[in-house]
Amino acid sequence: MNERLAVHLDFGGGTPPRRMGRLGRDPARRAIAFEWDEAFAAAPLPVSPLRAGRYRELLRPDAGRGATLPGLFEDSLPDGWGRLLLDREMAERGVDPAELGDLARLAYVGRHGMGALTYQPELATAPDDAVDLAWFEDVIPRVEDAAAVDELARLRTLAGGSQGARPKLVALIDEGNTRQRDHRGAPGGGWRAVLVKGRGSSDPKGSVEGEIAYGAAMRAAGIRTTPMLPLAGARECFLATDRFDRVGDRRLHTATVAGLLDTGMVHGSIDYLAIVKLARVVTRSAEDVEEVFRRAVFNARAFNRDDHVRNHAFLMDAAGTWRLAPAYDVTFSAGPGGEHSTAIAGEGRRPGRAAFARLAQAAGLKPRRRDAVVDAVDAALAQWPRLADEHDVPRALASRVASAIDAARRWE
Ligand SMILES: Nc1ncnc2c1ncn2[C@@H]1O[C@H](COP(=O)(O)OP(=O)(O)OP(=O)(O)O)[C@@H](O)[C@H]1O
Ligand SMILES: [Mg+2]
């Protein structure tokens, strides 16, 4: 395994990737450190605006929380599904996954991960061919114990360094949304980049349809999302959504709240107050700050409690300008211990108007504006029965959601 990885920022669009520096073992400590390239340090882009401002020094992981990588690069590491695939593949190849360090994991991500960061030299990837959703559906239940090593390698390649627990792949899809091909090919000619996600093994039937209906409710509430559509498998439905880190042949640098604040995947330590502040400092956009507030209200009212630090992201373009990414992974979910992963101004269990008022104040919203946002969210969610019906959410799930929405609206 290579002891060093070159890291580039690749914004695509025909512009050559820009070398940012290299990751390697930190001789002073038993960890990995990042050394900035001199040319980059002389004219840097704010890739990690809160944690990396001194480009003449090594960027090190936060030893205090036992991190092994700086948060900036942790965002490139697959977790959940992607990690499972690599671990399973390595086990099949006779390599102990516990021996596989972060540098190797990033080398498997290579040039085709999420966002614009690339890692080289990259380790083996499967050949580029068509994406077969029927095969994907068939292999998902076999991943734990009955998939062949070449299938696992193919799945890992298709996952493209994406994160999250549910089975997923990234692909290019044609204009008619009927054909998909390998995500590593060139987009254009009507092909665009999508993320395709299936139901998790512990999710209720219809949860994919539920997420698509939640998308419609969010847009009705004025929240930005990428277009979402259902793709039929042989047995179940998959969610396909346009990738926000790929725009035509261009790529955007992507960082989650976990990456920007270098928190790791901790639950319960981050509040929407911190995300409001982050949006203000990083984007300097009043619109994005208000959008964070709107999403917090929506998540409270719609019981999206799995709103953890990797489920909120920001995007940076080639000019170094940051914006809040569209909302994603918004579904009906109980959350850890029945609470929001991200508390709303201190309230994780029953957030209502009092918590919204504290958050709105921190977001600099006047009471009238704050109330208009809450009313817009409530009005959108009042349409839930119709939206659920339109998007084929099974009756049982739709009515559980309806009761939850009803209950949440009464919290003070
Ligand atoms: N539209 C999108 N464009 C680009 N990247 C996306 C998009 N939606 C999600 N992602 C990225 O893919 C990851 C996985 O997506 P998502 O959170 O929906 O999956 P999940 O498996 O349901 O996650 P979790 O484990 O949090 O429940 C996200 O963390 C985000 O980094
Ligand atoms: Mg997620």
Side-chain angles (χ1 to χ4, degrees):
M1 170 52 213
N2 275 292
E3 292 290 296
R4 291 187 197 293
L5 285 179
V7 182
H8 288 79
L9 262 175
D10 183 357
F11 291 107
T15 322
R18 182 162 177 209
R19 192 179 160 98
M20 217 170 87
R22 56 184 188 166
L23 278 166
R25 308 224 168 271
D26 184 348
R29 305 169 201 199
R30 296 175 70 178
I32 292 168
F34 179 71
E35 188 182 1
W36 301 93
D37 202 67
E38 266 182 41
F40 187 87
L45 282 169
V47 284
S48 180
L50 301 180
R51 289 292 181 269
R54 292 189 293 271
Y55 302 98
R56 306 280 167 200
E57 294 172 17
L58 291 178
L59 180 64
R60 291 194 160 99
D62 178 356
R65 68 169 169 91
T68 50
L69 267 183
L72 168 62
F73 306 110
E74 267 180 343
D75 263 343
S76 296
L77 271 185
D79 58 12
W81 174 253
R83 191 176 176 99
L84 170 72
L85 294 177
L86 184 56
D87 287 358
R88 285 284 304 108
E89 182 187 340
M90 289 303 118
E92 287 295 317
R93 292 188 194 279
V95 178
D96 180 357
E99 301 281 299
L100 207 63
D102 291 337
L103 287 181
R105 290 182 187 278
L106 289 174
Y108 277 107
V109 170
R111 286 167 302 147
H112 300 286
M114 307 303 285
L117 294 176
T118 67
Y119 302 90
Q120 280 168 296
E122 66 189 3
L123 285 169
T125 53
D128 175 348
D129 53 26
V131 176
D132 180 355
L133 202 58
W135 165 78
F136 184 57
E137 187 171 26
D138 175 66
V139 74
I140 289 169
R142 294 192 283 112
V143 161
E144 296 271 5
D145 50 12
V149 68
D150 58 327
E151 289 183 303
L152 292 166
R154 178 80 183 127
L155 283 172
R156 170 176 54 73
T157 303
L158 291 183
S162 66
Q163 288 146 359
R166 297 186 173 79
K168 62 178 69 61
L169 54 82
V170 284
L172 297 173
I173 198 165
D174 71 335
E175 260 167 332
N177 301 318
T178 52
R179 284 179 304 148
Q180 293 175 61
R181 59 182 176 83
D182 196 289
H183 66 103
R184 293 166 296 170
W191 294 81
R192 66 187 202 284
V194 286
L195 179 95
V196 177
K197 176 162 107 166
R199 179 167 70 96
S201 52
S202 56
D203 296 332
K205 277 229 162 92
S207 57
V208 167
E209 291 84 343
E211 186 168 341
I212 295 173
Y214 264 50
M218 277 195 285
R219 289 186 293 279
I223 292 170
R224 278 191 295 125
T225 81
T226 45
M228 301 177 190
L229 64 105
L231 287 183
R235 290 181 295 274
E236 290 208 23
C237 156
F238 290 81
L239 156 72
T241 192
D242 290 19
R243 283 179 66 174
F244 50 64
D245 62 330
R246 298 283 189 276
V247 184
D249 66 346
R250 289 185 301 118
R251 302 168 60 142
L252 293 166
H253 171 52
T254 309
T256 66
V257 165
L260 287 169
L261 295 177
D262 207 347
T263 62
M265 268 300 281
V266 286
H267 287 285
S269 67
I270 294 291
D271 193 293
Y272 281 97
L273 290 168
I275 305 184
V276 155
K277 198 164 154 197
L278 186 62
R280 179 176 304 119
V281 172
V282 170
T283 70
R284 300 197 188 104
S285 153
E287 198 187 312
D288 282 356
V289 171
E290 180 176 310
E291 173 95 3
V292 172
F293 175 71
R294 193 179 293 269
R295 292 181 192 181
V297 173
F298 186 94
N299 291 343
R301 295 295 215 215
F303 252 78
N304 171 36
R305 299 184 151 206
D306 196 24
D307 49 350
H308 58 74
V309 281
R310 270 191 154 178
N311 276 341
H312 310 277
F314 291 82
L315 302 169
M316 189 193 88
D317 65 17
T321 305
W322 283 93
R323 289 300 307 263
L324 184 67
Y328 59 92
D329 204 9
V330 175
T331 51
F332 179 59
S333 55
E339 288 203 42
H340 279 272
S341 300
T342 300
I344 296 162
E347 181 59 58
R349 204 166 280 281
R350 296 165 73 86
R353 295 239 177 209
F356 300 159
R358 293 194 295 276
L359 185 63
Q361 192 171 24
L365 295 187
K366 300 227 162 64
R368 190 185 298 195
R369 186 74 196 153
R370 170 197 73 205
D371 292 343
V373 170
V374 177
D375 291 346
V377 169
D378 285 341
L381 286 171
Q383 301 177 48
W384 170 255
R386 180 178 61 77
L387 294 173
D389 201 42
E390 274 174 23
H391 295 281
D392 298 322
V393 181
R395 281 249 162 86
L397 179 59
S399 69
R400 271 177 66 205
V401 172
S403 314
I405 291 173
D406 248 21
R409 196 194 270 248
R410 285 195 290 272
W411 295 335
E412 291 166 4

